[in-house]
Amino acid sequence: MDGIGKGVAPEAGAHAGSALNRSIMQLLEHVEYRLVTGGEDLEEIYRLRYQSYLRAGIATPNDSGLFEDRWDNLPNSYRFGVYCYERLVSTLRLHYISREHPYSPSMDGYPEILKHRVERGETFIEGTRFATDPDSAPAPGMLPFLTLRLGMVASCYFGQTSVLIPVKIEHAAYYARIFNARQIAEGKAFPGVLVQGALFEIPCGENLRLTLERFPFFKSTPTEQRLMFSNPAINPLTPQTIVPTAKYLREAA
């Protein structure tokens, strides 16, 4: 996850009370996630990446106005657009890393740390290519929560060992506060970006349970999880659209 953008309230993770949960639950009524494999939606995602990274000074201009890399079309790659009020507001790419598919940016960047863990059976979700359109944000500080919810849905579906996030050091405090992330490797440069991102790991298991309890808007039903990650046959011109289901779990509680 390349960055969390601007406008995140610093106290949000430290004391996430009912006001934050209530606000995001209300926003989720107007949010849909799209699992995209091709067509105009994918081009729109690549364009949002490019504009976001260019604005943040982490990418250089190019003639295409798009940002795509060699990890986008891997068999274990999931590219999502987050739409609020039917407008693309953010995007995130996830990789599910296992012995069958040991592919991701961090697997290439940190083989000395990760290769033996995957070979012994550990699995990971990796989140990268996080990009936002702050001009389309429905409310200050909400886009990171709406977007990173994708990683929580993935974690509930795959049940992996932990989540990997290459992030800029200045964003590390956010991930530590919200997800209990810890740094496991120093920063490295990756193709196409101008800044280094250190590798952080978020343990799952009990930590995932506590995070879901603290932030119930991260919860999801098995149906939502399957729609996102069970590899349905997707028409590249008609992306899979998924509606958040956290409200149903809240109503059932």
Side-chain angles (χ1 to χ4, degrees), residues 76-148:
N76 61 329
S77 174
Y78 301 82
R79 291 159 294 184
F80 288 96
V82 182
Y83 292 77
C84 190
Y85 297 102
E86 301 183 350
R87 181 172 178 177
L88 178 65
V89 295
S90 63
T91 180
L92 181 69
R93 181 182 65 196
L94 298 172
H95 287 92
Y96 175 60
I97 306 164
S98 64
R99 278 189 293 218
E100 291 71 27
H101 296 291
Y103 319 118
S104 80
S106 289
M107 286 297 295
D108 288 348
Y110 302 94
E112 71 282 4
I113 296 174
L114 299 174
K115 184 179 180 181
H116 74 281
R117 295 181 62 179
V118 171
E119 288 175 346
R120 74 187 184 199
E122 293 188 54
T123 56
F124 303 94
I125 294 291
E126 181 174 347
T128 52
R129 296 297 170 253
F130 182 5
T132 65
D133 178 5
D135 296 331
S136 300
M142 296 293 106
L143 285 184
F145 291 106
L146 297 177
T147 311
L148 298 178

Coordinates of all heavy atoms in Angstrom, one line a residue, residues 76-148:
N76 N -2.4 -14.3 -9.4 CA -2.8 -14.1 -8.0 C -3.0 -12.6 -7.7 O -3.0 -12.2 -6.5 CB -1.8 -14.7 -7.0 CG -0.4 -14.0 -7.1 OD1 0.0 -13.6 -8.2 ND2 0.3 -14.0 -6.0
S77 N -3.3 -11.8 -8.7 CA -3.5 -10.4 -8.6 C -5.0 -10.0 -8.7 O -5.7 -10.5 -9.5 CB -2.7 -9.6 -9.7 OG -2.9 -8.2 -9.6
Y78 N -5.4 -9.1 -7.8 CA -6.8 -8.6 -7.8 C -6.7 -7.1 -7.8 O -6.2 -6.5 -6.8 CB -7.5 -9.1 -6.5 CG -7.6 -10.6 -6.4 CD1 -6.5 -11.3 -5.8 CD2 -8.7 -11.3 -6.8 CE1 -6.6 -12.7 -5.7 CE2 -8.8 -12.7 -6.6 CZ -7.7 -13.3 -6.1 OH -7.8 -14.7 -5.9
R79 N -7.2 -6.5 -8.8 CA -7.3 -5.0 -8.9 C -8.7 -4.5 -8.7 O -9.6 -4.9 -9.3 CB -6.8 -4.6 -10.3 CG -5.3 -4.8 -10.5 CD -4.9 -4.9 -12.0 NE -5.6 -6.0 -12.7 CZ -5.4 -6.4 -13.9 NH1 -4.6 -5.6 -14.7 NH2 -6.0 -7.4 -14.4
F80 N -8.8 -3.6 -7.8 CA -10.1 -3.1 -7.3 C -10.2 -1.6 -7.5 O -9.2 -0.8 -7.3 CB -10.4 -3.4 -5.9 CG -10.6 -4.8 -5.6 CD1 -9.6 -5.7 -5.1 CD2 -11.9 -5.4 -5.7 CE1 -9.8 -7.0 -4.8 CE2 -12.1 -6.7 -5.4 CZ -11.1 -7.5 -5.0
G81 N -11.4 -1.1 -7.9 CA -11.7 0.3 -7.9 C -12.8 0.5 -6.8 O -13.6 -0.4 -6.6
V82 N -12.6 1.5 -6.1 CA -13.6 1.9 -5.0 C -14.4 3.1 -5.6 O -13.9 4.1 -5.9 CB -12.9 2.3 -3.7 CG1 -14.0 2.6 -2.6 CG2 -12.0 1.1 -3.2
Y83 N -15.7 2.9 -5.7 CA -16.6 3.9 -6.2 C -17.6 4.4 -5.1 O -18.2 3.6 -4.4 CB -17.4 3.3 -7.4 CG -16.6 3.0 -8.6 CD1 -15.8 1.8 -8.6 CD2 -16.6 3.8 -9.7 CE1 -15.0 1.5 -9.7 CE2 -15.8 3.5 -10.8 CZ -15.0 2.4 -10.8 OH -14.2 2.1 -11.9
C84 N -17.7 5.7 -5.0 CA -18.6 6.3 -4.1 C -19.5 7.3 -4.8 O -18.9 8.1 -5.6 CB -17.8 7.0 -3.0 SG -18.8 7.6 -1.6
Y85 N -20.7 7.1 -4.6 CA -21.7 7.9 -5.4 C -21.4 7.7 -6.9 O -21.5 8.7 -7.7 CB -21.7 9.4 -5.0 CG -22.1 9.6 -3.6 CD1 -21.2 9.9 -2.6 CD2 -23.5 9.6 -3.2 CE1 -21.5 10.1 -1.3 CE2 -23.8 9.8 -1.9 CZ -22.9 10.0 -0.9 OH -23.3 10.3 0.4
E86 N -21.1 6.5 -7.3 CA -20.8 6.1 -8.7 C -19.6 6.7 -9.3 O -19.5 6.7 -10.5 CB -22.1 6.3 -9.5 CG -23.3 5.6 -9.0 CD -24.5 5.8 -9.9 OE1 -24.5 6.7 -10.8 OE2 -25.5 5.1 -9.7
R87 N -18.7 7.3 -8.5 CA -17.5 7.9 -9.0 C -16.3 7.2 -8.4 O -16.2 6.9 -7.2 CB -17.5 9.4 -8.7 CG -16.2 10.1 -9.2 CD -16.4 11.6 -9.0 NE -15.2 12.3 -9.4 CZ -15.0 13.6 -9.4 NH1 -16.0 14.4 -8.9 NH2 -13.9 14.2 -9.8
L88 N -15.3 6.9 -9.3 CA -14.1 6.2 -8.8 C -13.3 7.2 -7.9 O -13.0 8.3 -8.3 CB -13.2 5.9 -10.0 CG -11.8 5.2 -9.6 CD1 -12.0 3.9 -9.0 CD2 -10.9 5.1 -10.9
V89 N -13.1 6.8 -6.6 CA -12.4 7.6 -5.6 C -11.1 7.0 -5.2 O -10.3 7.8 -4.7 CB -13.3 7.9 -4.4 CG1 -14.6 8.7 -4.8 CG2 -13.7 6.6 -3.7
S90 N -10.9 5.7 -5.4 CA -9.6 5.1 -4.9 C -9.5 3.8 -5.6 O -10.4 3.2 -6.2 CB -9.5 5.0 -3.4 OG -10.5 4.2 -2.9
T91 N -8.3 3.2 -5.5 CA -8.0 1.9 -6.0 C -6.9 1.2 -5.2 O -6.1 1.9 -4.5 CB -7.5 2.0 -7.5 OG1 -7.2 0.7 -8.0 CG2 -6.2 2.9 -7.6
L92 N -7.0 -0.1 -5.2 CA -6.0 -0.9 -4.4 C -5.8 -2.2 -5.2 O -6.8 -2.8 -5.7 CB -6.5 -1.2 -3.0 CG -5.6 -2.0 -2.1 CD1 -4.4 -1.2 -1.7 CD2 -6.4 -2.4 -0.8
R93 N -4.6 -2.7 -5.2 CA -4.3 -4.0 -5.7 C -3.9 -4.9 -4.6 O -3.1 -4.6 -3.7 CB -3.1 -3.9 -6.8 CG -2.8 -5.2 -7.4 CD -1.6 -5.1 -8.4 NE -0.4 -4.7 -7.7 CZ 0.7 -4.2 -8.3 NH1 0.7 -4.0 -9.6 NH2 1.8 -3.9 -7.6
L94 N -4.4 -6.2 -4.7 CA -4.0 -7.2 -3.7 C -3.4 -8.4 -4.4 O -3.9 -8.8 -5.5 CB -5.2 -7.6 -2.9 CG -5.9 -6.5 -2.1 CD1 -7.2 -7.0 -1.5 CD2 -5.0 -6.0 -0.9
H95 N -2.4 -9.0 -3.8 CA -1.9 -10.3 -4.2 C -2.1 -11.3 -3.1 O -1.8 -11.0 -1.9 CB -0.4 -10.2 -4.5 CG -0.1 -9.5 -5.8 ND1 0.2 -8.2 -5.9 CD2 0.0 -10.0 -7.1 CE1 0.4 -7.8 -7.1 NE2 0.3 -8.9 -7.9
Y96 N -2.5 -12.5 -3.4 CA -2.6 -13.6 -2.4 C -1.3 -14.5 -2.7 O -1.2 -15.1 -3.8 CB -3.8 -14.4 -2.5 CG -3.8 -15.6 -1.6 CD1 -3.7 -15.5 -0.2 CD2 -3.9 -16.9 -2.1 CE1 -3.7 -16.6 0.6 CE2 -3.9 -18.0 -1.3 CZ -3.8 -17.8 0.1 OH -3.8 -18.9 0.9
I97 N -0.4 -14.6 -1.8 CA 0.9 -15.2 -1.9 C 0.8 -16.6 -1.2 O 0.5 -16.7 0.0 CB 2.0 -14.3 -1.3 CG1 1.9 -12.9 -2.0 CG2 3.3 -15.0 -1.6 CD1 2.7 -11.9 -1.2
S98 N 1.2 -17.6 -2.0 CA 1.2 -19.0 -1.4 C 2.3 -19.7 -2.2 O 2.9 -19.2 -3.1 CB -0.1 -19.6 -1.6 OG -0.4 -19.8 -3.0
R99 N 2.5 -21.0 -1.8 CA 3.5 -21.9 -2.5 C 3.1 -22.0 -3.9 O 3.9 -22.1 -4.8 CB 3.6 -23.2 -1.8 CG 4.5 -23.2 -0.6 CD 4.7 -24.6 -0.1 NE 3.5 -25.2 0.5 CZ 3.5 -26.0 1.6 NH1 4.6 -26.3 2.2 NH2 2.4 -26.5 2.0
E100 N 1.8 -22.1 -4.2 CA 1.3 -22.2 -5.6 C 1.6 -21.0 -6.4 O 1.8 -21.0 -7.6 CB -0.2 -22.6 -5.6 CG -0.6 -23.9 -5.1 CD -0.4 -24.0 -3.6 OE1 -0.5 -23.0 -2.9 OE2 -0.2 -25.2 -3.1
H101 N 1.4 -19.8 -5.8 CA 1.6 -18.5 -6.5 C 2.5 -17.6 -5.6 O 1.9 -16.7 -5.0 CB 0.2 -17.9 -6.8 CG -0.6 -18.7 -7.7 ND1 -0.3 -18.9 -9.0 CD2 -1.8 -19.4 -7.5 CE1 -1.3 -19.6 -9.6 NE2 -2.1 -20.0 -8.7
P102 N 3.8 -17.8 -5.6 CA 4.7 -17.0 -4.8 C 5.1 -15.7 -5.5 O 6.3 -15.4 -5.6 CB 5.8 -17.9 -4.5 CG 5.9 -18.7 -5.8 CD 4.5 -18.9 -6.3
Y103 N 4.1 -14.9 -6.0 CA 4.4 -13.8 -6.8 C 3.8 -12.5 -6.2 O 2.6 -12.4 -5.9 CB 3.8 -14.0 -8.2 CG 4.0 -15.3 -8.8 CD1 2.8 -16.1 -9.1 CD2 5.2 -15.9 -9.0 CE1 2.9 -17.3 -9.6 CE2 5.3 -17.2 -9.5 CZ 4.2 -17.9 -9.8 OH 4.3 -19.2 -10.4
S104 N 4.7 -11.5 -6.1 CA 4.2 -10.1 -5.7 C 5.4 -9.2 -5.7 O 6.6 -9.7 -5.8 CB 3.6 -10.2 -4.3 OG 4.6 -10.2 -3.3
P105 N 5.2 -7.9 -5.6 CA 6.4 -7.0 -5.5 C 7.3 -7.3 -4.3 O 8.5 -7.3 -4.5 CB 5.7 -5.6 -5.3 CG 4.4 -5.8 -6.0 CD 3.9 -7.2 -5.7
S106 N 6.7 -7.6 -3.2 CA 7.6 -7.9 -2.0 C 8.3 -9.2 -2.1 O 9.4 -9.3 -1.6 CB 6.8 -7.8 -0.7 OG 6.4 -6.5 -0.4
M107 N 7.7 -10.2 -2.8 CA 8.4 -11.4 -3.0 C 9.6 -11.2 -3.9 O 10.7 -11.8 -3.6 CB 7.5 -12.5 -3.6 CG 6.4 -13.0 -2.7 SD 7.1 -14.0 -1.3 CE 7.9 -15.3 -2.1
D108 N 9.5 -10.3 -4.8 CA 10.7 -10.0 -5.7 C 11.7 -9.1 -4.9 O 12.9 -9.2 -5.1 CB 10.2 -9.3 -7.0 CG 9.5 -10.2 -7.9 OD1 9.6 -11.4 -7.7 OD2 8.9 -9.7 -8.9
G109 N 11.2 -8.2 -4.1 CA 12.1 -7.3 -3.4 C 12.7 -7.8 -2.2 O 13.8 -7.3 -1.8
Y110 N 12.1 -8.8 -1.5 CA 12.6 -9.3 -0.2 C 12.6 -10.8 -0.2 O 12.1 -11.4 0.7 CB 11.8 -8.7 0.9 CG 11.7 -7.2 1.0 CD1 10.7 -6.5 0.4 CD2 12.7 -6.5 1.7 CE1 10.6 -5.2 0.5 CE2 12.6 -5.1 1.8 CZ 11.6 -4.5 1.2 OH 11.5 -3.1 1.3
P111 N 13.2 -11.5 -1.2 CA 13.2 -12.9 -1.2 C 14.0 -13.5 0.0 O 13.6 -14.6 0.5 CB 13.9 -13.3 -2.5 CG 14.8 -12.1 -2.8 CD 14.0 -10.9 -2.3
E112 N 15.0 -12.8 0.5 CA 15.7 -13.3 1.6 C 14.9 -13.4 2.9 O 15.2 -14.1 3.8 CB 17.0 -12.4 1.9 CG 16.7 -11.0 2.4 CD 16.2 -10.0 1.4 OE1 16.0 -10.4 0.3 OE2 16.1 -8.9 1.8
I113 N 13.8 -12.6 3.0 CA 12.9 -12.6 4.1 C 11.7 -13.5 3.9 O 11.3 -14.2 4.9 CB 12.5 -11.2 4.4 CG1 13.7 -10.3 4.8 CG2 11.4 -11.2 5.6 CD1 13.4 -8.9 5.0
L114 N 11.2 -13.5 2.7 CA 9.9 -14.1 2.5 C 9.9 -15.5 1.9 O 9.0 -16.3 2.1 CB 9.0 -13.2 1.6 CG 8.7 -11.8 2.2 CD1 8.0 -10.9 1.2 CD2 7.9 -11.9 3.5
K115 N 10.9 -15.8 1.1 CA 10.9 -17.1 0.3 C 10.8 -18.3 1.2 O 10.0 -19.2 1.0 CB 12.1 -17.2 -0.6 CG 12.1 -18.4 -1.4 CD 13.4 -18.4 -2.3 CE 13.4 -19.7 -3.2 NZ 14.6 -19.8 -4.1
H116 N 11.6 -18.3 2.3 CA 11.6 -19.5 3.1 C 10.3 -19.6 3.9 O 9.8 -20.7 4.2 CB 12.8 -19.5 4.1 CG 12.7 -18.6 5.2 ND1 12.9 -17.2 5.0 CD2 12.3 -18.7 6.5 CE1 12.8 -16.6 6.2 NE2 12.4 -17.5 7.1
R117 N 9.7 -18.5 4.2 CA 8.4 -18.5 4.9 C 7.3 -19.1 4.1 O 6.5 -19.9 4.5 CB 8.0 -17.1 5.4 CG 9.0 -16.6 6.5 CD 8.6 -15.2 7.0 NE 7.3 -15.2 7.6 CZ 6.7 -14.1 8.2 NH1 7.4 -12.9 8.1 NH2 5.6 -14.2 8.7
V118 N 7.3 -18.7 2.8 CA 6.3 -19.2 1.9 C 6.5 -20.7 1.6 O 5.6 -21.5 1.6 CB 6.3 -18.4 0.5 CG1 5.4 -19.1 -0.5 CG2 5.8 -17.0 0.8
E119 N 7.8 -21.1 1.5 CA 8.1 -22.5 1.2 C 7.7 -23.4 2.4 O 7.4 -24.6 2.2 CB 9.6 -22.6 1.0 CG 10.0 -22.1 -0.4 CD 11.5 -22.1 -0.6 OE1 12.2 -22.3 0.4 OE2 12.0 -21.9 -1.8
R120 N 7.7 -22.9 3.6 CA 7.2 -23.7 4.7 C 5.7 -23.6 5.0 O 5.2 -24.2 6.0 CB 8.0 -23.3 6.0 CG 7.6 -22.0 6.6 CD 8.5 -21.6 7.7 NE 8.1 -20.4 8.4 CZ 8.9 -19.7 9.2 NH1 10.2 -20.0 9.3 NH2 8.5 -18.6 9.8
G121 N 5.0 -23.0 4.1 CA 3.6 -23.0 4.1 C 2.8 -21.8 4.6 O 1.6 -21.7 4.6
E122 N 3.6 -20.7 4.9 CA 2.9 -19.5 5.3 C 2.3 -18.8 4.1 O 2.8 -19.0 2.9 CB 3.9 -18.5 6.0 CG 4.4 -19.0 7.3 CD 5.2 -17.9 8.0 OE1 4.7 -16.8 8.2 OE2 6.4 -18.2 8.4
T123 N 1.2 -18.1 4.3 CA 0.6 -17.4 3.2 C 0.4 -15.9 3.6 O 0.4 -15.6 4.7 CB -0.8 -18.0 2.9 OG1 -1.6 -18.0 4.1 CG2 -0.7 -19.4 2.3
F124 N 0.3 -15.1 2.5 CA 0.2 -13.6 2.8 C -0.7 -13.0 1.8 O -0.9 -13.4 0.7 CB 1.6 -13.0 2.6 CG 2.7 -13.5 3.4 CD1 3.5 -14.6 3.0 CD2 2.9 -13.1 4.7 CE1 4.5 -15.1 3.8 CE2 3.9 -13.6 5.5 CZ 4.7 -14.6 5.1
I125 N -1.3 -11.9 2.2 CA -2.0 -10.9 1.4 C -1.0 -9.7 1.3 O -0.5 -9.3 2.3 CB -3.3 -10.4 2.0 CG1 -4.3 -11.6 2.0 CG2 -3.8 -9.2 1.1 CD1 -4.8 -12.0 0.6
E126 N -0.8 -9.2 0.1 CA 0.0 -8.0 -0.1 C -0.8 -6.9 -0.7 O -1.4 -7.2 -1.8 CB 1.3 -8.3 -0.9 CG 2.1 -7.0 -1.0 CD 3.5 -7.2 -1.7 OE1 3.9 -8.4 -1.8 OE2 4.1 -6.2 -2.1
G127 N -0.8 -5.8 -0.1 CA -1.5 -4.6 -0.7 C -0.6 -3.6 -1.3 O 0.3 -3.1 -0.6
T128 N -0.8 -3.3 -2.5 CA 0.1 -2.3 -3.2 C -0.8 -1.4 -4.1 O -2.0 -1.7 -4.3 CB 1.2 -2.9 -4.0 OG1 0.7 -3.9 -4.9 CG2 2.2 -3.5 -3.1
R129 N -0.2 -0.4 -4.7 CA -0.8 0.5 -5.7 C -2.1 1.1 -5.2 O -3.1 1.2 -5.8 CB -1.1 -0.3 -7.0 CG 0.2 -0.7 -7.7 CD 1.0 0.5 -8.1 NE 2.4 0.0 -8.6 CZ 3.5 0.2 -7.8 NH1 3.4 0.8 -6.6 NH2 4.7 -0.2 -8.3
F130 N -2.0 1.5 -3.9 CA -3.1 2.3 -3.2 C -3.0 3.7 -3.8 O -1.9 4.4 -3.7 CB -2.8 2.3 -1.7 CG -3.9 3.0 -0.9 CD1 -5.0 3.6 -1.5 CD2 -3.7 3.1 0.5 CE1 -5.9 4.2 -0.7 CE2 -4.6 3.8 1.2 CZ -5.7 4.3 0.7
A131 N -4.1 4.2 -4.4 CA -4.1 5.5 -4.9 C -5.5 6.1 -4.7 O -6.5 5.4 -4.8 CB -3.8 5.5 -6.4
T132 N -5.6 7.4 -4.5 CA -6.8 8.1 -4.2 C -7.0 9.3 -5.0 O -6.0 9.9 -5.5 CB -6.9 8.4 -2.7 OG1 -5.9 9.4 -2.4 CG2 -6.8 7.2 -1.8
D133 N -8.2 9.8 -5.1 CA -8.5 11.1 -5.7 C -9.1 11.9 -4.6 O -10.3 11.9 -4.3 CB -9.6 10.9 -6.8 CG -10.0 12.2 -7.4 OD1 -9.4 13.3 -7.1 OD2 -10.9 12.2 -8.3
P134 N -8.2 12.7 -4.0 CA -8.7 13.5 -2.8 C -9.8 14.5 -3.2 O -10.6 14.9 -2.3 CB -7.4 14.2 -2.3 CG -6.5 14.2 -3.5 CD -6.8 13.0 -4.3
D135 N -9.9 14.9 -4.4 CA -10.9 15.8 -4.8 C -12.3 15.2 -4.9 O -13.3 15.9 -4.8 CB -10.6 16.4 -6.2 CG -9.3 17.2 -6.3 OD1 -9.0 17.8 -5.2 OD2 -8.6 17.2 -7.3
S136 N -12.3 13.9 -4.9 CA -13.6 13.1 -4.9 C -13.9 12.5 -3.5 O -14.9 11.8 -3.4 CB -13.6 12.0 -6.0 OG -13.3 12.6 -7.2
A137 N -13.1 12.8 -2.5 CA -13.3 12.2 -1.2 C -14.7 12.6 -0.7 O -15.0 13.8 -0.7 CB -12.2 12.6 -0.3
P138 N -15.5 11.6 -0.2 CA -16.8 12.0 0.3 C -16.8 12.7 1.6 O -17.7 13.4 2.0 CB -17.5 10.6 0.5 CG -16.3 9.7 0.7 CD -15.2 10.2 -0.2
A139 N -15.7 12.6 2.4 CA -15.5 13.3 3.7 C -14.0 13.2 4.0 O -13.3 12.2 3.6 CB -16.4 12.7 4.8
P140 N -13.5 14.1 4.7 CA -12.0 14.1 5.1 C -11.7 12.8 5.9 O -12.4 12.5 6.8 CB -11.9 15.4 6.0 CG -13.0 16.3 5.6 CD -14.1 15.4 5.2
G141 N -10.6 12.2 5.4 CA -10.0 11.1 6.2 C -10.7 9.8 6.0 O -10.4 8.7 6.6
M142 N -11.8 9.7 5.1 CA -12.5 8.5 5.0 C -12.0 7.5 3.9 O -12.2 6.3 4.0 CB -14.0 8.8 4.6 CG -14.7 9.6 5.7 SD -15.0 8.6 7.2 CE -13.8 9.4 8.3
L143 N -11.3 8.0 2.9 CA -10.9 7.1 1.8 C -10.0 6.0 2.2 O -10.1 4.9 1.8 CB -10.2 7.9 0.7 CG -11.1 8.8 -0.2 CD1 -10.3 9.5 -1.3 CD2 -12.2 7.9 -0.8
P144 N -9.0 6.2 3.1 CA -8.2 5.1 3.6 C -9.0 3.9 4.2 O -8.8 2.8 3.9 CB -7.2 5.7 4.6 CG -7.1 7.1 4.2 CD -8.5 7.5 3.7
F145 N -10.0 4.3 5.0 CA -10.8 3.2 5.6 C -11.7 2.5 4.6 O -11.7 1.3 4.6 CB -11.7 3.8 6.7 CG -11.0 4.3 7.9 CD1 -10.8 5.7 8.1 CD2 -10.4 3.4 8.8 CE1 -10.1 6.2 9.2 CE2 -9.8 3.9 9.9 CZ -9.6 5.3 10.1
L146 N -12.3 3.2 3.7 CA -13.1 2.6 2.6 C -12.3 1.7 1.7 O -12.7 0.6 1.3 CB -13.8 3.7 1.8 CG -14.8 4.6 2.5 CD1 -15.3 5.6 1.5 CD2 -15.9 3.8 3.1
T147 N -11.0 2.1 1.5 CA -10.2 1.4 0.5 C -9.5 0.2 1.2 O -9.5 -0.9 0.7 CB -9.1 2.3 0.0 OG1 -9.7 3.5 -0.5 CG2 -8.4 1.6 -1.2
L148 N -9.0 0.4 2.4 CA -8.3 -0.7 3.1 C -9.2 -1.8 3.6 O -8.8 -2.9 4.0 CB -7.4 -0.1 4.3 CG -6.3 0.9 3.8 CD1 -5.6 1.4 5.0 CD2 -5.4 0.2 2.9

